[in-house]
Amino acid sequence: MNERRIFARINIKIPVKFLNSANGKEGAAETVDISANGIGFVTKEDLLLETPLEIWLDIPDHHEPLRVLGKVVWSCDLGDNIHKRVGVELEEESLIGLGRVWLYKEKSPE
């Protein structure tokens, strides 16, 4: 499979809240990785391909949660019949958001 990613991924765990814009259902997740044009997260919610999402990343940097819009581009069961790994493509690249994530990761102890 060819890598189509333009922006580098940052492997980081950040709490996420999201709203499924198709049915109005809210959900929670935790990121696995983030780039300027996509987010990978783990959730208990079933999200179909192309599901539009409004997402709030709770970056612990003393600012408001970062709000982004995107759609589910892939999803897979993690084998425990509870958790799903989800890939979301963002509507617009968020270089400011990626910068906030990168700065937080650089300052936080591993």
Side-chain angles (χ1 to χ4, degrees):
M1 180 176 184
N2 291 336
E3 180 66 44
R4 299 179 308 160
R5 215 173 284 282
I6 296 172
F7 300 103
R9 277 188 272 194
I10 298 172
N11 295 320
I12 190 166
K13 293 182 178 184
I14 296 175
V16 172
K17 292 182 182 177
F18 60 85
L19 175 68
N20 179 331
S21 302
N23 64 15
K25 187 174 180 182
E26 295 179 0
E30 182 176 67
T31 63
V32 175
D33 54 48
I34 299 174
S35 76
N37 60 343
I39 300 172
F41 62 73
V42 174
T43 185
K44 293 180 181 178
E45 304 298 324
D46 287 318
L47 296 170
L48 301 174
L49 293 180
E50 301 295 320
T51 298
L53 298 176
E54 187 171 354
I55 301 168
W56 292 268
L57 296 160
D58 192 12
I59 304 166
D61 63 356
H62 307 292
H63 295 283
E64 293 292 318
L66 176 65
R67 179 184 170 271
V68 293
L69 301 174
K71 68 177 178 181
V72 175
V73 291
W74 61 267
S75 178
C76 64
D77 185 32
L78 290 180
D80 62 3
N81 294 323
I82 298 172
H83 296 94
K84 286 82 178 159
R85 174 84 194 272
V86 178
V88 175
E89 179 181 53
L90 300 179
E91 283 187 7
E92 296 181 8
E93 285 86 13
S94 180
L95 295 175
I96 292 171
L98 184 63
R100 281 183 59 194
V101 171
W102 183 81
L103 284 172
Y104 170 72
K105 182 162 174 108
E106 289 296 308
K107 291 179 181 180
S108 67
E110 292 294 314

